[in-house]
Amino acid sequence: MNFIKTGIYALDADAQFIEPKPVEISGERKQHLLKQYNLNERNIVILNPYANTILGEVQNTFWTRLAEKLIKEGYKVYTDCGAGDKTPIQGTEAMVASLTELAFICKYIDGYIGLRSGLLDYVLFSKCKVIAIYPGEKGVDGNDVFQAFDINGINKLLTEPINTKCWQYQIKNENAVLDGVGEWLKATV
């Protein structure tokens, strides 16, 4: 986490962390989102194959296979389509929400699985279970991406640790990741 503090945000290594608090949305909007995405039914997972800040790519077949597996296991699966400018993964439904709405939605779901990005850190603060997928081993600078951006490290900064799990996705371990994601969601729901 120090790399993020000092390298990305140019803060002092001893800078105090202040947990972000998402803005509340209106009661009417909450009711609309609860109904629109069936949030009271549980067994909901959101996938996000999109990231602007990470190098590398995870094949579309991985995301399609993951969606199929989760649906087969009884989950309702959405793709986080941001402001509506992204395409849903085959077999899933689009979820279009602002960041504030996403923070609210994530309080009701069983897991959020996405490419490692800053958005995942934001989602964690809604106390949502998060699985971060890493597309490669090394960043532009040659450092180990998984260690530098390990989402589990955020717990060192929080007063109440959050249940997180990270995998570094590589073509050679796609099946292990697919199996692990399903097992982890079942074990922690």
Side-chain angles (χ1 to χ4, degrees), residues 105-178:
I105 289 166
C106 285
K107 292 177 183 179
Y108 290 87
I109 64 172
D110 295 300
Y112 190 100
I113 304 168
L115 274 180
R116 180 62 172 108
S117 69
L119 179 62
L120 296 184
D121 294 311
Y122 180 77
V123 167
L124 278 173
F125 291 105
S126 64
K127 309 302 186 222
C128 176
K129 290 169 263 183
V130 172
I131 298 175
I133 305 293
Y134 294 77
E137 298 177 34
K138 304 289 180 190
V140 202
D141 57 2
N143 289 325
D144 184 317
V145 170
F146 186 65
Q147 287 182 350
F149 296 101
D150 183 359
I151 203 165
N152 291 307
I154 199 97
N155 277 325
K156 295 175 188 170
L157 306 173
L158 300 177
T159 51
E160 289 181 39
I162 301 165
N163 188 5
T164 61
K165 182 65 180 177
C166 289
W167 276 283
Q168 179 171 311
Y169 167 76
Q170 296 172 22
I171 297 287
K172 67 183 178 186
N173 70 356
E174 181 174 313
N175 289 330
V177 173
L178 290 169

Side-chain angles (χ1 to χ4, degrees), residues 22-80:
V23 176
E24 280 293 316
I25 58 176
S26 73
E28 187 177 298
R29 186 69 185 145
K30 287 179 184 179
Q31 290 306 313
H32 174 77
L33 292 169
L34 286 167
K35 185 177 179 182
Q36 180 179 2
Y37 297 115
N38 300 312
L39 296 175
N40 288 321
E41 293 183 17
R42 304 301 296 177
N43 285 340
I44 297 171
V45 175
I46 300 174
L47 303 180
N48 188 346
Y50 306 106
N52 296 325
T53 55
I54 196 153
L55 295 174
E57 183 178 299
V58 175
Q59 300 295 320
N60 286 338
T61 56
F62 168 79
W63 295 104
T64 302
R65 288 180 63 203
L66 178 57
E68 289 170 354
K69 177 182 175 52
L70 292 169
I71 291 166
K72 186 176 178 183
E73 291 179 6
Y75 291 97
K76 173 74 174 171
V77 182
Y78 291 97
T79 299
D80 183 344

